[in-house]
Amino acid sequence: MRAAAEINLAAIGSNVLRLKAAAGDSELLAVVKADGYGHGMVPSARAARAAGAQYLGVALPEEAIAVRESGDGGPLMAWLYAPEDDLAECVERRVELSVASLDQLQQVVAAAVKVGQRAPIHLKVDTGLGRSGAMPDQWPSLVDAARGRQDRGVVEIVGVWSHLAAADEPESGTTRRQIEQFHAALDAVAEAGVEPRLRHLANSAGTLVHPDARFDMVRCGIAVYGLSPGPAVGTSASLGLIPAMRVTARVALVKRVPGGHGVSYGHRYRTRRSTQLALIPVGYADGVPRSGSGRIPLSIQGVRYSVSGTVAMDQIVVDVGDAKVRAGDDVQLFGPGSHGEPTADEWATACGTINYEIVTRLGPRLPRRHLGGAA
């Protein structure tokens, strides 16, 4: 096979168990949006459920429907939709929807009326992230309106939630301020006579390093896949997490070129002497960031190299010197690091980004092979 991403489902299960232990009495929502952070949404969802995740979370309605069509009937939450989206199928399939404004409430109410079924909702308050969520001055109106619809049997307020902005920076005061804002929002909910079953604020970093952010449920995304939510939180190993993805390829061609030979677009790399160039058939169409040109690390037959020159759409080139590299040799692009191969964190550093982007940007022509569990 030209290249593939191998997904260790047992690692996902192990990570869920680790996060459940960190969450204590709180329920765990495993986030499987964006095709399971590039790991495959349905296999990842099944692995997380099998390990005890009480909830699954996705961003989009179509992701929620895909989870339902895979046979999953457990608690499932979706939180991002456009004004023109028809949410009727989500309501019909008992997908719990986030509501962050009066307009969104009316949109969900319309879907509930359409199917003749009560819609389960989670009211969202903006505690400081500045994305979705009702602002504090709008919050009482949203809560009152939702309570009125609940009294009429149109919606069921299952949860109240918000999202952390800087939980991966443990020394920042932002998380403390957001927790305080969330408590104030919960007080307003109680004053309105609403008693949601779930209050949830913590993401992966919040779950691991902010015990007072856990409440009734935590929502874990990147940590489910074994990656650290940020350097200040710790490494995967120090957090007890196992990276679930390994991306491999094969050398397609090896040739000798003279010194001074330009390599790839723009000749940003030139050979210093007579050397061998190894061609690897993956590029930015497969998810190898062009921003990592000349810096992305990889391993060929256990020896580390860096990409030489510009990452192209379909291929990268590596100057391997006089090493005995042959067409067909195994290439480890990144993985858990347990055998000396580069990690997604190292790729992120080389590309000036975060590990989230490295794993989620892998393209559809890179097959996912799921190992170590039922897919």
Side-chain angles (χ1 to χ4, degrees):
M1 184 176 289
R2 173 185 68 92
E6 297 178 350
I7 313 301
N8 183 350
L9 296 176
I12 291 177
S14 174
N15 297 329
V16 167
L17 291 173
R18 167 72 183 97
L19 293 165
K20 282 175 63 67
D25 293 332
S26 302
E27 294 187 17
L28 173 70
L29 181 151
V31 183
V32 296
K33 66 177 182 177
D35 196 29
Y37 287 50
H39 293 67
M41 182 170 66
V42 169
S44 298
R46 289 176 176 166
R49 286 281 199 213
Q54 292 94 339
Y55 261 77
L56 297 176
V58 296
L60 308 178
E62 54 264 37
E63 293 175 323
I65 299 306
V67 170
R68 285 290 187 244
E69 289 182 343
S70 75
D72 187 284
L76 170 65
M77 182 183 176
W79 48 77
L80 188 62
Y81 48 89
E84 65 271 17
D85 287 341
D86 185 351
L87 303 176
E89 187 173 3
C90 282
V91 174
E92 194 170 34
R93 291 176 176 257
R94 295 293 295 173
V95 176
E96 300 175 16
L97 295 165
S98 175
V99 170
S101 69
L102 292 173
D103 286 343
Q104 286 191 337
L105 177 62
Q106 187 53 43
Q107 186 177 355
V108 173
V109 166
V113 170
K114 181 176 180 179
V115 300
Q117 189 170 311
R118 178 180 288 193
I121 63 173
H122 295 242
L123 299 178
K124 186 176 186 184
V125 60
D126 185 349
T127 55
L129 181 58
R131 300 193 315 194
S132 178
M135 292 299 290
D137 62 332
Q138 303 165 341
W139 180 244
S141 296
L142 177 59
V143 173
D144 286 342
R147 183 200 58 192
R149 303 303 192 280
Q150 179 169 264
D151 291 345
R152 281 178 258 173
V154 183
V155 303
E156 176 190 0
I157 304 172
V158 176
V160 172
W161 74 301
S162 190
H163 196 53
L164 295 173
D168 58 327
E169 301 172 13
E171 300 305 315
S172 169
T174 301
T175 299
R176 167 51 50 197
R177 290 190 292 273
Q178 285 196 260
I179 292 171
E180 292 171 354
Q181 286 284 338
F182 193 55
H183 276 292
L186 293 174
D187 289 342
V189 169
E191 290 170 8
V194 176
E195 298 180 356
R197 187 178 72 84
L198 295 172
R199 304 161 301 159
H200 48 113
L201 177 64
N203 52 11
S204 289
T207 301
L208 291 165
V209 297
H210 297 284
D212 49 352
R214 292 171 189 157
F215 293 91
D216 304 308
M217 184 168 76
V218 299
R219 304 182 310 274
C220 295
I222 196 69
V224 167
Y225 307 98
L227 299 178
S228 169
V233 178
T235 64
S236 294
S238 70
L239 295 170
L241 303 171
I242 304 171
M245 179 183 289
R246 180 187 301 276
V247 182
T248 63
R250 289 188 180 278
V251 174
L253 176 148
V254 180
K255 67 180 184 182
R256 182 165 288 278
V257 299
H261 197 287
V263 177
S264 194
Y265 292 121
H267 286 178
R268 293 179 177 84
Y269 180 86
R270 286 185 179 274
T271 60
R272 294 188 177 90
R273 59 179 180 80
S274 174
T275 189
Q276 296 180 107
L277 300 179
L279 181 70
I280 301 167
V282 292
Y284 58 76
D286 302 289
V288 180
R290 194 173 184 273
S291 60
S293 296
R295 295 187 301 276
I296 292 175
L298 51 82
S299 174
I300 303 175
Q301 297 293 79
V303 179
R304 280 203 176 207
Y305 302 92
S306 295
V307 171
S308 302
T310 304
V311 173
M313 184 179 293
D314 311 303
Q315 49 202 293
I316 54 178
V317 180
V318 179
D319 184 340
V320 296
D322 297 321
K324 293 181 179 179
V325 175
R326 302 288 182 267
D329 282 354
D330 290 329
V331 180
Q332 299 285 323
L333 296 174
F334 66 82
S338 52
H339 293 87
E341 76 278 6
T343 64
D345 292 310
E346 291 179 82
W347 271 45
T349 298
C351 299
T353 186
I354 56 176
N355 54 22
Y356 297 68
E357 184 178 355
I358 296 301
V359 292
T360 58
R361 70 179 294 156
L362 296 180
R365 48 179 217 178
L366 197 67
R368 273 56 162 182
R369 301 192 306 200
H370 293 92
L371 311 172

